[in-house]
């Protein structure tokens, strides 16, 4: 057994080595707190989603390790757009981690799309691929890392239950062609009254139409298990394509 003076010396050396790390970690967590609080406030409905997206984009590099741990523990509570935004934010710092969250968000977005009666909402998936073209290119140029990121995302998704947000799902399902047509009929699109006019103005903002209920727009809950299984299958198909390119 070590004598008291030796034990004190060992303890002093240990504290000298670990205290700065602990302080740095505590400081990082403190600086990450406002960003975390902003996201939490949108998940509870207190604030609009735009606040969370701005918070994710604004996380400083030095705070990312502490924020990343919290994000990984809470991402299952978030809609896909949060995951895509985080993937875009961390891509300059960690391409592999960005690819993981890209695949996780894409799988959950597919799950949403598969639950909509209007299949044209799959355009949203193509839009995400276009907006995050840099991450897509990384996955294509690095098939081994891309396939591993996809497998990580599938494991993450399968071990984290989806928190259902019926209102958000309905809004998403209204972004398809049928929803746009209805918005035009309801006069919600200024200066555009016909579908032919809409085709000439692809960049115009289309407000969502007013609907009485989700019926006719969202698949019944009995279809949800198949939709989730199909979302996994589609992601696995992408992984298989990447593996075949090695």
């Amino acid at each position: 057994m070590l004598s008291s003076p030796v034990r004190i010396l060992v303890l002093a050396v240990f504290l000298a080595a670990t205290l700065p790390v602990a302080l740095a970690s505590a400081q990082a967590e403190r600086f990450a707190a406002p960003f975390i609080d902003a996201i939490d406030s949108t998940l509870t409905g207190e604030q609009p989603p735009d606040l969370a997206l701005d918070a994710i984009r604004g996380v400083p590099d030095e705070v990312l390790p502490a924020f990343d741990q919290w994000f990984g523990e809470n991402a299952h509570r978030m809609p896909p757009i949060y995951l895509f935004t985080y993937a875009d934010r961390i891509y300059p710092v960690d391409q592999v981690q960005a690819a993981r969250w890209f695949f996780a968000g894409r799988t959950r977005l597919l799950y949403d799309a598969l639950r909509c009666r209007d299949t044209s909402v799959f355009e949203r998936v193509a839009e995400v691929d276009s907006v995050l073209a840099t991450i897509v290119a990384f996955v294509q140029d690095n098939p081994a890392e891309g396939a591993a990121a996809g497998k990580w995302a599938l494991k993450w998704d399968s071990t984290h239950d989806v928190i259902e947000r019926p209102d958000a799902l309905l809004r998403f399902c209204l972004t398809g062609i049928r929803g746009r047509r209805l918005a035009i009929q309801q006069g919600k699109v200024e200066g555009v009254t016909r579908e032919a006019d809409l085709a000439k103005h692809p960049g115009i903002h289309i407000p969502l139409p007013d609907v009485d209920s989700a019926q006719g727009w969202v698949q019944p809950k009995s279809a949800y298990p198949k939709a989730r299984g199909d979302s996994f299958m589609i992601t696995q198909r992408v992984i298989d394509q990447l593996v075949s390119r090695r």
Side-chain angles (χ1 to χ4, degrees), residues 131-150:
V131 171
L132 299 181
T134 305
I135 299 178
V136 173
F138 169 80
V139 168
Q140 293 174 334
D141 294 340
N142 302 272
E145 289 88 344

Side-chain angles (χ1 to χ4, degrees), residues 112-114 116-127 172-181 195 217:
D112 286 347
L114 287 161
C116 295
R117 292 188 181 275
D118 183 357
T119 58
S120 67
V121 297
F122 277 93
E123 293 175 2
R124 307 289 84 76
V125 181
E127 289 171 1
F172 177 74
C173 292
L174 292 173
T175 64
I177 293 174
R178 283 183 56 212
R180 294 203 295 267
R181 287 175 179 168
E195 189 173 354
W217 298 94

Side-chain angles (χ1 to χ4, degrees), residues 112 115-116 165-174 218 224:
D112 286 347
R115 290 183 291 165
C116 295
R165 301 178 184 276
D167 291 344
L169 178 59
L170 174 59
R171 287 194 298 272
F172 177 74
C173 292
L174 292 173
V218 180
Y224 286 15

Side-chain angles (χ1 to χ4, degrees), residues 39-183:
I39 298 170
D40 263 334
S41 70
T42 69
L43 295 175
T44 58
E46 299 171 25
Q47 297 292 338
D50 285 351
L51 179 65
L53 303 184
D54 288 342
I56 293 171
R57 296 186 189 104
V59 177
D61 286 352
E62 58 270 22
V63 179
L64 274 177
F67 181 83
D68 185 76
Q69 180 177 349
W70 176 86
F71 191 90
E73 294 170 352
N74 291 272
H76 64 285
R77 301 165 52 209
M78 305 178 193
I81 186 62
Y82 289 29
L83 276 58
F84 291 130
T85 302
Y86 188 55
D88 188 48
R89 165 62 189 91
I90 63 175
Y91 179 79
V93 179
D94 190 338
Q95 290 79 29
V96 172
Q97 185 77 331
R100 289 171 177 170
W101 288 118
F102 166 76
F103 271 117
R106 197 176 190 276
T107 304
R108 294 224 159 167
L109 186 63
L110 286 167
Y111 175 52
D112 286 347
L114 287 161
R115 290 183 291 165
C116 295
R117 292 188 181 275
D118 183 357
T119 58
S120 67
V121 297
F122 277 93
E123 293 175 2
R124 307 289 84 76
V125 181
E127 289 171 1
V128 167
D129 289 349
S130 177
V131 171
L132 299 181
T134 305
I135 299 178
V136 173
F138 169 80
V139 168
Q140 293 174 334
D141 294 340
N142 302 272
E145 289 88 344
K151 290 179 180 177
W152 179 93
L154 286 180
K155 182 177 180 180
W156 174 85
D157 200 356
S158 66
T159 55
H160 291 81
D161 291 335
V162 176
I163 295 179
E164 299 295 352
R165 301 178 184 276
D167 291 344
L169 178 59
L170 174 59
R171 287 194 298 272
F172 177 74
C173 292
L174 292 173
T175 64
I177 293 174
R178 283 183 56 212
R180 294 203 295 267
R181 287 175 179 168
L182 183 56

Side-chain angles (χ1 to χ4, degrees), residues 174-246:
L174 292 173
T175 64
I177 293 174
R178 283 183 56 212
R180 294 203 295 267
R181 287 175 179 168
L182 183 56
I184 293 172
Q185 292 172 8
Q186 293 178 351
K188 292 182 173 293
V189 184
E190 285 188 30
V192 178
T193 57
R194 298 180 299 112
E195 189 173 354
D197 294 328
L198 179 63
K200 298 177 183 177
H201 304 279
I204 194 168
H205 174 65
I206 309 295
L208 298 180
D210 293 324
V211 296
D212 295 330
S213 71
Q215 188 175 8
W217 298 94
V218 180
Q219 297 280 0
K221 289 185 178 180
S222 59
Y224 286 15
K226 183 179 185 305
R228 194 160 189 218
D230 287 349
S231 70
F232 290 172
M233 180 185 66
I234 294 171
T235 299
Q236 185 61 57
R237 191 180 302 157
V238 174
I239 295 171
D240 293 341
Q241 292 172 350
L242 287 170
V243 171
S244 67
R245 295 183 55 210
R246 291 191 208 181

